[in-house]
Amino acid sequence: MFPYGVDSMNPKFEFLKINSQLEERRNQGLFRKCPCIESRRGSIISVDGKEYINFSSNDYLGLSMEPEILHAWKQGLEIWGAGSGASPLVTGLSKAHRDLQDEICEWLGVEAVILFNSGFAANQAIVKALNNEHTVIYADKLSHASLQEASVLSGAKYVRFPHNEYQTLSSKIKDQTGIVITEGVFSMDGDEAPIEKIRNISDKSGNIFVLDDAHGFGVHGDEGRGTISKHGLKHSSIDVIMGTFGKAIGTTGAFVAGSSEFISYMINFSREYIYSTHMAPAAAYATHQAIRLVRTRNDLRENLSSNVSYFKNCISQISLTPSNSTTSIQPIIIGNSEKALQWSDCLKSLNCYVSAIRHPTVPKNTARLRVTITASHRREEIDRLVEGLSECRKIL
Ligand SMILES: *Cc1c(COP(=O)(O)O)cnc(C)c1O
């Protein structure tokens, strides 16, 4: 059963009650394991020897397989080697990283940028950097786990406001006490935050506004500048921005953008930044190419949005309720966790790979199929999914 079995437990671990915790997860239909992708070709993946159309990828523009980016990664390897060899303050920051930072500054019109190995690490770093004994964190209730984790661990006073309810935020917020956190596009619902309203509330009360736009960069706005740009706002009007490269940009890692002062502060004080081996330079080199490409590829953004509209339209024709999301993330709420798993298994039996997302990733009783539509899906593939959904509904 290794690595997922719990048949023989090292007694040293007993005090953690690992067995009973895993058993509980199993009983609730919440046990998880990682599928191993054996091969990939466009939107087709193979798992356990079986082929599926992948509707569970955040590679929204299909850039992770884009020849120009693959080529850049190889070039980056030849020029810079396989790893950065050190943390950024030592000798881990190369010209490849610097060029990527400069490109992002120019793309978004922001003063300064630093790079992280992951969005998870970047969010830990942001929240900790903004935390002192006076900090109050106001965060949307559906904020990503990385933000919640950082907020809870920071020890700051942590106030969560109901999803997207800026009026409630406005009534709860105190003047100049901390930070307001939300997301451009919510990862499990695909809906967008009222960014301008929330920014205005933060500005008016003198609180720092932090926006995580992991799912917006690349797909939204002019030149893929993200949800901020889609909402007609300037990036420089938002105090701290986090973006990831692992989603629409197609590579790996993340960035934090802000004022030169704040970024210098992070470089000097952020332990996640200072004590971690810097992103591989070849990854930075490839990501630089990926962003240059993303800026010009309106065709991919158009494919994506027409695929999303097509899917929503098909779904309503088979009388499944489409969510209000107009982004790649198209959740179908099932409610019960076991039921969501049955749907996911049923779709898999019809060669459509759609993950069931369950508690604790989403609130209890809101288990869902998280369908992601990408620019690389062909119409026939979307048709297959819709037929599958229709089939599974008959059975379940
Ligand atoms: C994926 C995601 C992250 C984490 O980014 P990684 O680079 O995958 O670690 C952070 N915030 C949101 C909203 C995300 O969806």
Side-chain angles (χ1 to χ4, degrees):
M1 276 275 279
F2 183 82
Y4 306 117
V6 286
D7 302 336
S8 70
M9 178 61 69
N10 180 336
K12 291 179 197 164
F13 290 75
E14 256 164 29
F15 77 101
L16 294 168
K17 302 198 170 32
I18 288 181
N19 266 323
S20 60
Q21 286 192 64
L22 289 176
E23 201 49 43
E24 199 183 325
R25 282 266 165 112
R26 276 205 190 83
N27 294 337
Q28 296 167 334
L30 297 176
F31 190 75
R32 300 160 177 224
K33 53 187 184 163
C34 307
C36 173
I37 310 304
E38 289 146 1
S39 72
R40 268 186 73 190
R41 157 171 59 80
S43 39
I44 305 297
I45 51 172
S46 124
V47 181
D48 291 331
K50 185 171 168 177
E51 289 205 334
Y52 301 90
I53 309 165
N54 187 2
F55 290 101
S56 290
S57 165
N58 300 326
D59 183 14
Y60 301 127
L61 300 177
L63 289 181
S64 76
M65 289 283 191
E66 176 68 34
E68 277 183 62
I69 298 171
L70 304 187
H71 178 71
W73 203 309
K74 287 177 206 153
Q75 257 186 326
L77 283 172
E78 274 164 26
I79 304 171
W80 294 105
S84 69
S87 58
L89 284 174
V90 181
T91 55
L93 192 148
S94 70
K95 187 162 178 303
H97 299 95
R98 174 73 66 75
D99 289 346
L100 170 59
Q101 292 173 176
D102 290 348
E103 177 83 24
I104 297 172
C105 286
E106 199 255 316
W107 180 40
L108 305 181
V110 291
E111 276 183 16
V113 159
I114 49 170
L115 305 174
F116 283 89
N117 282 304
S118 75
F120 195 100
N123 278 342
Q124 304 301 301
I126 292 170
V127 172
K128 283 197 213 157
L130 295 173
N131 182 45
N132 74 7
E133 71 271 26
H134 306 297
T135 308
V136 180
I137 299 172
Y138 302 92
D140 189 287
K141 199 151 192 168
L142 296 188
S143 293
H144 191 260
S146 55
L147 291 165
Q148 291 191 24
E149 175 88 356
S151 302
V152 170
L153 292 179
S154 73
K157 187 159 180 251
Y158 181 35
V159 181
R160 295 165 79 192
F161 57 92
H163 181 49
N164 281 345
E165 287 185 17
Y166 58 89
Q167 299 94 334
T168 311
L169 169 67
S170 178
S171 68
K172 283 188 176 181
I173 204 163
K174 304 275 192 316
D175 286 347
Q176 293 186 352
T177 41
I179 60 179
V180 175
I181 301 177
T182 192
E183 286 169 35
V185 176
F186 285 84
S187 52
M188 295 301 143
D189 293 77
D191 58 345
E192 294 166 39
I195 301 177
E196 186 168 17
K197 293 236 160 54
I198 294 184
R199 184 205 56 190
N200 292 348
I201 293 166
S202 312
D203 283 355
K204 207 166 138 227
S205 56
N207 285 276
I208 296 163
F209 182 33
V210 178
L211 187 79
D212 171 341
D213 199 19
H215 297 276
F217 284 111
V219 294
H220 280 163
D222 183 35
E223 290 190 22
R225 291 191 184 94
T227 317
I228 298 166
S229 149
K230 178 179 175 188
H231 291 203
L233 306 172
K234 281 203 153 79
H235 292 79
S236 54
S237 75
I238 289 170
D239 302 311
V240 181
I241 298 167
M242 197 287 283
T244 59
F245 304 132
K247 286 157 186 161
I249 308 298
T251 62
T252 182
F255 70 90
V256 177
S259 65
S260 305
E261 189 185 29
F262 177 62
I263 297 300
S264 297
Y265 178 68
M266 287 193 83
I267 293 170
N268 281 275
F269 290 95
S270 167
R271 304 171 78 83
E272 287 77 4
Y273 188 70
I274 300 169
Y275 299 105
S276 184
T277 300
H278 209 201
M279 171 194 281
Y285 197 88
T287 303
H288 185 186
Q289 182 57 32
I291 290 179
R292 279 199 286 227
L293 201 67
V294 135
R295 298 180 68 168
T296 63
R297 296 299 299 269
N298 285 331
D299 59 321
L300 293 177
R301 283 184 280 277
E302 278 158 21
N303 280 355
L304 175 61
S305 79
S306 92
N307 278 349
V308 169
S309 312
Y310 182 73
F311 173 73
K312 281 178 78 80
N313 195 12
C314 293
I315 284 290
S316 56
Q317 280 176 17
I318 59 164
S319 333
L320 271 172
T321 325
S323 71
N324 349 331
S325 160
T326 55
T327 66
S328 305
I329 304 164
Q330 291 290 322
I332 300 174
I333 308 288
I334 306 294
N336 175 283
S337 292
E338 301 243 29
K339 198 91 193 162
L341 263 191
Q342 287 166 8
W343 272 87
S344 169
D345 287 342
C346 176
L347 288 169
K348 282 177 194 161
S349 75
L350 301 169
N351 301 85
C352 292
Y353 205 98
V354 179
S355 309
I357 308 282
R358 298 163 283 163
H359 182 75
T361 306
V362 292
K364 284 200 171 118
N365 304 316
T366 69
R368 65 199 63 189
L369 296 169
R370 181 180 183 268
V371 172
T372 52
I373 301 291
T374 72
S376 0
H377 285 128
R378 291 178 293 123
R379 285 284 151 100
E380 305 88 88
E381 294 176 329
I382 299 175
D383 289 340
R384 281 283 293 282
L385 173 62
V386 174
E387 281 157 29
L389 285 163
S390 189
E391 272 308 296
C392 296
R393 191 173 43 180
K394 279 185 218 146
I395 305 166
L396 295 167

